Amino acid sequence: MTESSPQHATLLRAQDYRRMRWKNGAGWTTELLRVPDSDDWRWRLSIAEVEADGPFSVYPGVERELMLLAGNGMRLCFEDGVTQTLSPPRGSLRFAGEHPLQAQLLDGPSRDFNVMWKRDEVDARLWCRPLAGAMVLFVEPGETWVFHLLSGHARFSEESGLGRLETGDTAVLRANRRRARYAVDGAGEALLVRVEERGER
């Protein structure tokens, strides 16, 4: 049995995100969401605008996944000698946040979607999907799904309480005590993130 859970769905508008300059001046971070909303977050979603080569911050105990959104790509050079490249159009990489690395831009700035989570507490997965017509997302108890509209437009069904999304908006979808069903219709491209509580596995 499924149920819609409007009280557990939240719409984040692009104009309300927090955009912060990096201390080293090499780029910007636009923070979409952190849970909980404190410095001691369990998981966090952001978009990085990388303007120059440089080191990544180190996050012990944190798993990360990057996906290229714009630009010609970026080479990630880890301290152990391993090199990975994020290539257009949507190259991605999952890696441990405690591993030191240097980023090298490939012919100009890049823009990247960044998911970070404390691996002992939650697990996360990231997908990029075209949106052409209807899509249905089923959210289980103990899960959070995030729908971030990269381009185009979308509208969730009336019972969700979310309404219309424009490019850059984000819907955060949760279940109550039973599986929740969220239907969305539109045209464009979306990023989907599923965050799962470790204790619910």
Side-chain angles (χ1 to χ4, degrees):
M1 183 175 181
T2 63
E3 62 176 15
S4 296
S5 303
Q7 71 274 23
H8 282 74
T10 306
L11 180 57
L12 308 175
R13 294 295 186 189
Q15 63 264 27
D16 297 327
Y17 301 148
R18 290 176 283 194
R19 187 169 183 259
M20 300 159 283
R21 186 69 172 171
W22 295 355
K23 291 180 180 179
N24 64 8
W28 296 82
T29 292
T30 299
E31 186 178 75
L32 279 62
L33 176 66
R34 56 181 172 178
V35 179
D37 188 13
S38 71
D39 291 337
D40 188 25
W41 45 263
R42 301 171 70 226
W43 56 277
R44 180 176 181 256
L45 307 179
S46 62
I47 294 173
E49 301 164 58
V50 187
E51 299 174 344
D53 297 351
F56 271 32
S57 299
V58 175
Y59 291 93
V62 171
E63 202 75 8
R64 302 184 66 169
E65 186 164 357
L66 287 181
M67 179 177 286
L68 184 68
L69 299 181
N72 293 310
M74 182 167 54
R75 184 178 296 113
L76 303 180
C77 304
F78 292 87
E79 193 176 56
D80 60 4
V82 173
T83 299
Q84 300 281 350
T85 300
L86 300 183
S87 300
R90 295 284 180 259
S92 64
L93 180 67
R94 177 171 174 160
F95 59 96
E98 55 264 41
H99 291 171
L101 67 95
Q102 294 277 333
Q104 298 176 354
L105 293 172
L106 303 178
D107 192 23
S110 77
R111 191 165 178 264
D112 313 288
F113 196 86
N114 183 23
V115 185
M116 297 194 292
W117 64 96
K118 292 184 178 178
R119 68 174 67 91
D120 290 340
E121 300 183 30
V122 299
D123 193 20
R125 290 193 64 188
L126 171 65
W127 298 270
C128 185
R129 291 288 185 267
L131 184 61
M135 175 188 294
V136 177
L137 299 173
F138 292 97
V139 183
E140 302 289 346
E143 290 181 345
T144 300
W145 281 76
V146 176
F147 178 99
H148 176 74
L149 190 62
L150 281 177
S151 63
H153 58 86
R155 179 178 292 276
F156 276 84
S157 56
E158 185 175 348
E159 63 268 22
S160 72
L162 292 167
R164 184 179 174 89
L165 278 71
E166 303 294 344
T167 296
D169 291 344
T170 303
V172 184
L173 313 175
R174 298 183 176 91
N176 200 341
R177 289 175 294 178
R178 298 190 298 273
R179 172 194 278 185
R181 178 184 183 274
Y182 292 92
V184 60
D185 190 273
E189 188 178 22
L191 284 184
L192 302 175
V193 182
R194 184 187 68 193
V195 180
E196 184 181 12
E197 298 288 337
R198 286 286 187 184
E200 298 291 338
R201 290 183 150 193

